[in-house]
Amino acid sequence: MTQRPSATQHLADFAAAVQHDTLPHKVRACLQTLLIDYFRVASLGTATPWLAKLRAGLQPVTGPGPATVLYSDERVDVVRAAYLNGVIAGSLEWDDTHVGAMLHPGVTVWPAALAVGEMTGAAGTEIIAAVAAGYEVMIRVGLSVQPSHFRRGFQSTATCGVFGAAVAAAKLLGLDATGIRNAMGIAGSSAAGVTQFFLSGSEVKRLHAGRASSAGVEAALFAQAGLSGPPDVLEGRQGFAHALADAFDEEAIRAGLGTDFHILRLQMKAHALSARVLAAVEAAERLVRRGVAPESIAAVEIGVPKVIMGRLTHNAPADLQQAQMSAPFAVAMALTFTAERPLPLVIGVTDCAMALARAEIGALSRRITCVVDPAIEATSTTEYVSARVSVMLHDGTRHEQVVPVPLGAPDRPMTTGDLRDRFHAVTQGRIAAAALDAWIEAAAHPQRAGWGAALMALRLREGPP
């Protein structure tokens, strides 16, 4: 009997075989949507304070090169481009998410692929194929080790992201299955990212996607140069899964590989918040639209699945990062902002920062309790988290709203038109509408010559986002 290849080799074989023209139409259409969303999110991340600090820290080791830093004329080496562009797009909590794998694939895979694609002059269809392979590998690695990987304190965008970025970069460097496997093996030694920021605060999570993307590019370059990595880096006795998780589900890697694409199960975000609190935000918004006034609320209860208890249920965030990762604070913002703003509600990074300075939002957040709700547990899936929000008013009346599936989940997807409208909304005054429409139209045609360069030519007018 022929022995089946290892899980690592199985992923490398899959990645080497991926071609644009053989990808299912749904996958190609999804990638077009994800590309638009990646650039939309990045348009809001070019002037953050943490990016300025990262630039200062990288300045001694950053040199000129072939890869473009998003929305600028700056061109640097591919490793730094992947780092910077990963942070520009991946530090806002507004990017695509796979809830079950607990990671953000787009902001690690796209920066690596676009940087290496520029360097190699890859065709657009080659970039799309590389991105498809990188997404699938990254998500499946995440699914194979969750949820114990998260419980042990690892943030899987950082840990699993190195594999997705390495695969995409290696594919664009022309490596075969053995070369891709070596890139994955090398990347495994850079798989790192702990979640103490959930408890103590800090800006370090802002760097995770960029660090993973750049480490993946490095690993692919090293593999191209002939360096080898462990051929069983994922499943080996002292490999990634056994070192960083309590259990390894190898079938999560193997099942349906090449025919069943997890890229179709991503959560797109309506707000710059954790994907696992979006249903609660939507429930709170609906309550206010039905007539609940924030000033009339005495107490709030959020019914949640047990997976978010502790990490995402703190009431008094100490900083912006914690504010974006707190279900009570997110609900307090939604209740307050919905009463003040027209439809649709959009909570961005600057909104979270402003909310931290508003005493009434902090006070409302402290009156919110999260409880494990069996009904919500039953409707939550590996693709999205459901929520129930119940408010008790000062006069004793009670109102409740359940959102089983949040907007942007695979079962309630945002369309390309939705994302186009949101892209226009967040870049109003900074990108001319006609120019943005032309860019979106061009992005839909990766078979055109110069596609990658045309993507990276998009520019913002100066001024705050």
Side-chain angles (χ1 to χ4, degrees):
M1 180 181 294
T2 303
Q3 186 176 9
R4 68 177 184 173
S6 70
T8 305
Q9 185 68 57
H10 198 45
L11 287 173
D13 290 341
F14 156 76
V18 171
Q19 307 243 345
H20 176 269
D21 292 346
T22 59
L23 286 170
H25 173 74
K26 281 187 176 180
V27 173
R28 294 201 304 268
C30 181
L31 284 162
Q32 178 187 345
T33 301
L34 294 169
L35 174 63
I36 294 170
D37 197 53
Y38 170 72
F39 274 83
R40 175 192 67 86
V41 174
S43 72
L44 296 160
T46 59
T48 58
W50 48 84
L51 180 66
K53 296 171 190 175
L54 175 65
R55 282 182 174 279
L58 288 178
Q59 194 277 329
V61 293
T62 301
T68 304
V69 178
L70 284 165
Y71 294 109
S72 79
D73 295 327
E74 183 181 5
R75 295 174 72 85
V76 298
D77 64 275
V78 289
V79 172
R80 305 306 167 209
Y83 205 146
L84 290 167
N85 291 339
V87 172
I88 287 170
S91 61
L92 305 176
E93 300 299 339
W94 217 338
D95 42 297
D96 62 58
T97 305
H98 193 285
V99 173
M102 301 186 187
L103 46 72
H104 305 273
V107 291
T108 57
V109 177
W110 283 113
L114 290 170
V116 177
E118 277 195 283
M119 180 181 74
T120 62
T125 52
E126 293 173 323
I127 294 172
I128 290 293
V131 170
Y135 262 85
E136 195 66 19
V137 167
M138 180 176 171
I139 294 169
R140 285 175 178 265
V141 171
L143 288 171
S144 75
V145 294
Q146 295 293 17
S148 67
H149 185 61
F150 179 73
R151 288 198 299 262
R152 290 179 77 176
F154 293 104
Q155 202 262 334
S156 50
T157 300
T159 57
C160 304
V162 294
F163 298 110
V167 163
K171 195 167 171 61
L172 288 166
L173 290 170
L175 302 187
D176 61 10
T178 300
I180 293 172
R181 188 196 67 200
N182 277 325
M184 293 176 65
I186 296 167
S189 288
S190 297
V194 296
T195 58
Q196 185 59 31
F197 59 82
F198 277 120
L199 306 177
S200 307
S202 83
E203 293 174 313
V204 71
K205 185 177 182 288
R206 312 288 183 187
L207 308 183
H208 278 189
R211 183 67 189 93
S213 191
S214 66
V217 171
E218 277 188 340
L221 291 169
F222 293 157
Q224 183 189 42
L227 285 167
S228 62
D232 53 354
V233 68
L234 295 176
E235 70 279 0
R237 188 162 57 88
Q238 296 189 37
F240 173 81
H242 294 291
L244 276 66
D246 298 332
F248 174 50
D249 180 6
E250 189 169 333
E251 282 308 300
I253 285 177
R254 295 184 182 277
L257 183 63
T259 57
D260 181 19
F261 286 83
H262 287 286
I263 195 172
L264 301 175
R265 301 185 181 99
L266 292 169
Q267 165 84 60
M268 310 289 281
K269 291 187 177 184
H271 308 285
L273 304 166
S274 168
R276 295 164 188 81
V277 308
L278 296 180
V281 168
E282 189 173 342
E285 179 185 4
R286 291 186 191 179
L287 286 169
V288 177
R289 302 291 181 205
R290 282 167 39 193
V292 172
E295 63 273 14
S296 69
I297 297 173
V300 182
E301 181 181 275
I302 309 175
V304 300
K306 61 186 176 185
V307 69
I308 79 166
M309 286 298 292
R311 297 287 176 89
L312 303 177
T313 55
H314 49 281
N315 294 73
D319 62 13
L320 179 58
Q321 182 71 75
Q322 286 192 345
Q324 292 177 272
M325 310 298 285
S326 163
F329 197 76
V331 166
M333 286 192 290
L335 291 168
T336 303
F337 293 151
T338 302
E340 300 172 350
R341 300 177 182 180
L343 286 165
L345 177 67
V346 177
I347 299 176
V349 179
T350 54
D351 295 315
C352 297
M354 289 188 297
L356 284 169
R358 291 184 59 170
E360 76 277 19
I361 293 178
L364 180 54
S365 178
R366 289 188 290 274
R367 297 200 301 275
I368 297 176
T369 303
C370 293
V371 298
V372 175
D373 185 324
I376 295 303
E377 188 83 51
T379 55
S380 295
T381 73
T382 58
E383 298 169 8
Y384 52 80
V385 169
S386 309
R388 170 184 56 80
V389 175
S390 303
V391 298
M392 180 71 72
L393 305 187
H394 290 297
D395 65 7
T397 58
R398 180 185 176 91
H399 299 269
E400 183 172 291
Q401 179 68 57
V402 174
V403 173
V405 184
L407 177 65
D411 293 345
R412 282 184 67 202
M414 294 185 196
T415 66
T416 301
D418 292 333
L419 290 170
R420 180 187 293 110
D421 292 344
R422 288 174 179 271
F423 203 165
H424 275 290
V426 300
T427 58
Q428 188 174 15
R430 297 189 301 144
I431 299 178
L436 183 55
D437 282 336
W439 182 91
I440 292 172
E441 194 278 332
H445 298 282
Q447 70 278 8
R448 291 179 180 171
W451 182 78
L455 291 181
M456 302 306 289
L458 190 62
R459 295 288 182 269
L460 296 166
R461 294 172 184 162
E462 292 195 11

